[in-house]
Amino acid sequence: MQVEERNDGSLYYLTVGKTRRIARLTFNGMKEYSEAEVRREFLVVEKALFDQQTLIEAGERVRKFYRDQGFLNASIDLEFARLSATDVAVTVSVKEGPQTLITEITLKASNPEFQQKFEKYLKKELLKEPYTDRVLNVLRKDIREEFSEQKYFQA
């Protein structure tokens, strides 16, 4: 449906067309996560009304899901194919890319005893973890708490 304001005195002009629905929703390219997990993040299902903006937002949710798991270069491609006047096929192609993991932690501190102790703790907790916003927030929190406990500054 399209709504336009007219200049001839009438307020609105409505153009109504046939409603298009998603007849087929296909996912491919997933290796780390199942189709069910990706569908759960996508939130759009077969038989739903076809709306490009809603599908783009759904693709962005899936990309964010992958990013939150450390797949920083994941990309989601959407393809639309008209099957009939009322049916559309949607293909969601996932390119995961490699998961970014923390492989090394180096701490520079003026206190060698603190540096060695805290670096050991960080390596135990964070090595091999996915590099994500959640992990970085935990790291920031742990550093603030340790500095506060050691009286380096007041948190």
Side-chain angles (χ1 to χ4, degrees):
M1 178 169 67
Q2 182 179 355
V3 179
E4 297 176 27
E5 195 170 341
R6 298 181 91 186
N7 294 329
D8 65 359
S10 63
L11 293 177
Y12 297 102
Y13 176 71
L14 298 177
T15 305
V16 180
K18 290 186 177 185
T19 301
R20 291 186 290 168
R21 294 204 174 269
I22 300 170
R24 187 173 61 231
L25 182 58
T26 308
F27 291 81
N28 62 49
M30 293 88 56
K31 294 181 181 111
E32 289 294 320
Y33 299 98
S34 70
E35 182 174 327
E37 289 171 303
V38 175
R39 278 183 182 268
R40 192 170 36 251
E41 296 298 322
F42 196 70
L43 294 178
V44 177
V45 297
E46 289 174 339
K47 309 283 188 241
L49 289 176
F50 175 77
D51 178 61
Q52 252 184 312
Q53 186 59 40
T54 300
L55 290 164
I56 290 168
E57 290 167 3
E60 183 59 26
R61 279 192 300 277
V62 172
R63 193 192 64 75
K64 184 181 180 321
F65 166 75
Y66 271 93
R67 182 174 178 79
D68 290 347
Q69 309 309 315
F71 292 88
L72 305 180
N73 295 317
S75 65
I76 311 302
D77 293 322
L78 302 172
E79 294 177 31
F80 312 122
R82 177 176 258 165
L83 301 175
S84 71
T86 58
D87 292 333
V88 178
V90 177
T91 302
V92 180
S93 297
V94 177
K95 294 178 187 137
E96 294 175 342
Q99 187 178 34
T100 305
L101 300 174
I102 297 172
T103 58
E104 184 177 335
I105 296 175
T106 304
L107 181 66
K108 304 258 186 221
S110 58
N111 180 329
E113 181 183 321
F114 168 77
Q115 178 176 331
Q116 183 179 18
K117 176 183 154 201
F118 200 56
E119 192 172 271
K120 182 178 177 182
Y121 163 78
L122 291 174
K123 286 180 179 181
K124 178 182 167 214
E125 293 295 315
L126 300 176
L127 276 183
K128 305 297 182 201
E129 285 291 314
Y131 182 78
T132 65
D133 289 340
R134 181 192 58 78
V135 170
L136 291 178
N137 287 336
V138 167
L139 176 60
R140 286 183 194 109
K141 179 180 153 281
D142 288 351
I143 289 172
R144 277 194 305 270
E145 287 175 359
E146 183 66 23
F147 277 27
S148 180
E149 287 173 14
Q150 298 298 324
K151 310 283 191 259
Y152 287 110
F153 69 89
Q154 291 186 349

